[in-house]
């Protein structure tokens, strides 16, 4: 998956399953899959169907959502209409990127974005 593909996937979720004005993923699926269906010991994070739900606060009134692991991340922040994708070349960086570093980057962008 390229960074552009990952960003498109994030955009699809940001737009509640619509692509070019056409509903291609049911809105109900987007709602359920991004809902925090389980809670963890990681503070304000809930976990849905492969998406972490981050509650409001620095993320804005609708919170934020992120998916990924070890440097391959997608995040979207509804209140900012913001999608961020990060793809790390694992051959060059076997350890990837820590989730907290990616979330810190997203938070920095979110807090400073108008």
């Amino acid at each position: 998956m390229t960074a552009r593909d990952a960003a498109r996937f994030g955009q699809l979720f940001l737009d509640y399953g619509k692509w070019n004005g056409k509903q291609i993923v049911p809105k109900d699926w987007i709602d359920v899959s991004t809902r925090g269906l389980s809670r963890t010991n990681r503070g304000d994070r809930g976990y849905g169907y492969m998406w972490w739900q981050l509650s409001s606060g620095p993320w804005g009134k609708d919170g934020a959502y992120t998916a990924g692991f070890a440097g391959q991340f997608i995040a979207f922040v509804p209140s900012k209409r913001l999608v961020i994708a990060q793809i790390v070349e694992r051959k060059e960086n076997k350890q990837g990127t820590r989730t907290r570093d990616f979330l810190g980057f997203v938070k920095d962008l979110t807090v400073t974005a108008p």
Side-chain angles (χ1 to χ4, degrees):
M1 178 182 278
T2 67
R4 182 173 288 192
D5 292 336
R8 287 178 179 144
F9 190 75
Q11 188 68 47
L12 180 65
F13 272 74
L14 180 66
D15 290 337
Y16 295 99
K18 285 188 177 181
W19 192 259
N20 292 328
K22 182 178 179 185
Q23 193 77 43
I24 62 171
V25 176
K27 183 183 180 304
D28 290 345
W29 172 255
I30 302 295
D31 288 339
V32 169
S33 65
T34 56
R35 186 178 307 142
L37 300 171
S38 63
R39 293 286 163 205
T40 70
N41 61 353
R42 295 184 179 198
D44 66 347
R45 299 182 200 177
Y47 194 66
Y49 299 158
M50 307 305 288
W51 287 96
W52 287 100
Q53 176 194 51
L54 308 173
S55 65
S56 58
W59 313 106
K61 68 180 179 82
D62 298 320
Y65 304 87
T66 187
F69 176 75
Q72 319 309 321
F73 294 109
I74 302 168
F76 66 97
V77 185
S79 67
K80 302 292 184 177
R81 299 281 310 147
L82 178 67
V83 174
I84 301 166
Q86 173 183 292
I87 304 297
V88 172
E89 177 56 57
R90 295 298 301 265
K91 291 177 187 173
E92 300 296 322
N93 184 351
K94 294 190 185 332
Q95 293 178 324
T97 303
R98 296 193 58 93
T99 303
R100 75 167 177 248
D101 294 335
F102 176 73
L103 292 178
F105 174 68
V106 173
K107 191 178 288 185
D108 288 346
L109 287 176
T110 303
V111 170
T112 60

